[in-house]
Amino acid sequence: MQSAECGDLGRALCIITGASRGFGRTTAREMSRLVKPGSAFVLVARSGDDLRALQAELAESEAGRAGVVVQCVVADLGLMEGVESVVKAAKEAFSEDIDHIILVNNAASLGDVSRYARSFTNMAEVDSYLSLNVSSSLCLTANTLQAFPQRPGLRRSVVNISSLCALQPFSSWVLYCTGKAARDMMFKVLAEEEPDLRVLNYAPGPLDTDMHMVARSRTADPSIKKSLSDMFSQGQVLTCEASCAKLMKLLLEDNYTSGAHIDVYDV
Amino acid sequence: MSDINSTNARTLGRCFCIITGASKGFGWVLAHQVSHYLKPGSVLLLVARTGTLLQELKEELQSFTEDQNLVVHCITADLSTQDGVNETVRVARQESLKEIDHVLLINNAASLGDISRFASFTNLDQVNSYLSFNVSSALALTAGILQVFPPRAGLRWSVVNCSSVFAVQAMPSWVLYCTAKSARVMMFRVLAEEEPNVKVLSYSPGPMDTEMQEDILRLTGISYHLLPCKESAAKLMKVLLENKFASGSHIDFFEV
């Protein structure tokens, strides 16, 4: 019954947010290779063009040709309509053959790292940040769990793309650290509440993405900015593929303690 | 009076102190305890939504401290709104002409939120509203006050985050509260990293005999062995007066 022995994730309905680029896009690609035919993907991002390009790529891939269906949802998860549209698409993509629901809460933003905490006097700015980075993953996950309640024969896995910043404070990164710490706790509570649910807080490490590029060019704290730049120039930044491979390994082996925070370097 | 002797006459100095959520519970008791340690010329700003309760508190405090020249201002403000935060900052700025040697901001105002299973939180607006009051507001207010009193060497600056064991321990059905309290601890840890002239303390007061605890009992049916607010407030005072804590640390009542 456990797909880990077969080396695949089953006939899965995979919902991946922030799928248009970076780690989300890589996750969509890697996961599509690990699911059985009859699986379905719901890819979410704000950028319709990038999503459709990915959709086309996956349709042409081996997985696509073997019968994995990919749906795109262009949505801003910071808005209620965005969350609703994802759940609607997920319900449409579901079929009775599906034996695994996988939700990857990956969409996130860095926040303005060019400023220090003492500059965040505007509540609306902080609210907006928390809406996308905290609330939307809570609501999307809650809606998904309601749409696909526990039943025999159906595995459900929820992944939170976390960060070292969930555990450690970084100067000039107040929004990002706050959001990531909030998410880790949120998913730990979920893990405590739902023992049949598999919940993973995965910290992917420093990745070669647009987010890292913004981080190393805009970080206000000089020593953090320098270490980000040095990390990049010394080739210590991971490819999304390398980190994603570790995430896939964790999901396939399915041995992690539900609610745990696991860092790429722990795997 | 014995409190002062037992802490070797340490005081909070000529202090500009702001306490949010001061109209009841822990905030109310803190106002009383803090006022014992404020030197003459100090200013105490009490913030809450219910002006009448603040006024009562002010009268009580001034009846104890007549000869101390304690200035108390009541700010009726809803800190879940930008206007409420702005009003608090405005009054602080207005009163900041006084010479003070210590700024003490106690971020106490908070709400319990809905205690329900995770899967019930399908409404983004509900979650956003909760996080706005319990997270965004504390950041915006702290930032505003930091701008009124820019930290510098020679000025003692203390920020207290009223935290909870649920900032560090996940509790089923408490996702909103746990999430917000965790967010706050990290938020204030980042502040501690950034501001070498500010000492930041997250204090978890333990389960106290407050209205919030009554709500918890009503919503969950679970009753805890409750501490009197006074006892917990006294420990917070001890930590603040000794001033040995590492900035950014999280200290629980049961550890002191």
Side-chain angles (χ1 to χ4, degrees), chain A residues 195-251:
Chain A
D196 62 283
L197 192 61
R198 303 290 289 138
V199 183
L200 175 61
N201 288 316
Y202 178 69
L207 303 173
D208 184 7
T209 57
D210 290 344
M211 188 182 273
H212 200 273
M213 182 176 67
V214 173
R216 61 181 185 265
S217 63
R218 291 184 53 84
T219 292
D221 184 280
S223 65
I224 294 178
K225 185 173 203 270
K226 183 172 195 303
S227 50
L228 290 168
S229 299
D230 288 350
M231 188 188 288
F232 184 74
S233 57
Q234 288 159 21
Q236 288 161 2
V237 160
L238 300 168
T239 60
C240 291
E241 287 74 17
S243 181
C244 194
K246 302 277 179 165
L247 173 58
M248 293 304 113
K249 181 170 192 279
L250 288 167
L251 293 177

Side-chain angles (χ1 to χ4, degrees), chain A residues 121, chain B residues 16 18 43 45-47 73-77 79 81-98 105 140-149:
Chain A
T121 54
Chain B
F16 197 102
I18 302 164
V43 177
L45 256 54
L46 305 171
V47 191
H73 292 283
C74 301
I75 305 174
T76 306
L79 291 170
T81 68
Q82 184 73 59
D83 283 348
V85 171
N86 290 349
E87 177 60 11
T88 305
V89 174
R90 187 191 69 75
V91 176
R93 193 182 303 280
Q94 187 177 281
E95 297 303 313
S96 71
L97 299 168
K98 316 253 156 87
L105 170 61
L141 178 63
T142 303
I145 303 299
L146 283 168
Q147 294 196 12
V148 173
F149 300 101

Side-chain angles (χ1 to χ4, degrees), chain B residues 105-124:
Chain B
L105 170 61
I106 301 181
N107 287 293
N108 168 73
S111 63
L112 187 59
D114 187 6
I115 303 185
S116 289
R117 292 184 70 238
F118 189 110
S120 70
F121 292 100
T122 52
N123 186 305
L124 198 64

Side-chain angles (χ1 to χ4, degrees), chain A residues 170-192:
Chain A
F170 288 89
S171 172
S172 69
W173 284 44
V174 69
L175 294 183
Y176 192 75
C177 290
T178 299
K180 288 308 190 192
R183 289 165 66 111
D184 258 34
M185 172 55 86
M186 193 162 92
F187 288 102
K188 274 197 216 144
V189 171
L190 179 60
E192 288 288 319

Side-chain angles (χ1 to χ4, degrees), chain B residues 12 15 17 19 29-38 44 104 106 237 240:
Chain B
L12 294 170
C15 182
C17 177
I19 303 176
V29 170
L30 273 176
H32 272 281
Q33 299 231 351
V34 161
S35 66
H36 287 312
Y37 299 103
L38 300 177
L44 180 57
L104 171 58
I106 301 181
M237 288 300 107
L240 286 175

Side-chain angles (χ1 to χ4, degrees), chain A residues 11-15 38-42 69 71 86-102 144 147-149 151-156:
Chain A
R11 200 166 293 107
L13 169 57
C14 306
I15 305 163
S39 292
F41 279 72
V42 174
V69 173
Q71 282 233 45
V86 176
V87 185
K88 183 163 178 288
K91 284 178 174 167
E92 283 164 11
F94 183 79
S95 66
E96 285 308 311
D97 299 334
I98 298 281
D99 57 36
H100 194 180
I101 308 282
I102 308 175
T144 302
F148 305 105
R151 61 152 219 252
L154 182 67
R155 290 167 63 195
R156 301 180 307 165

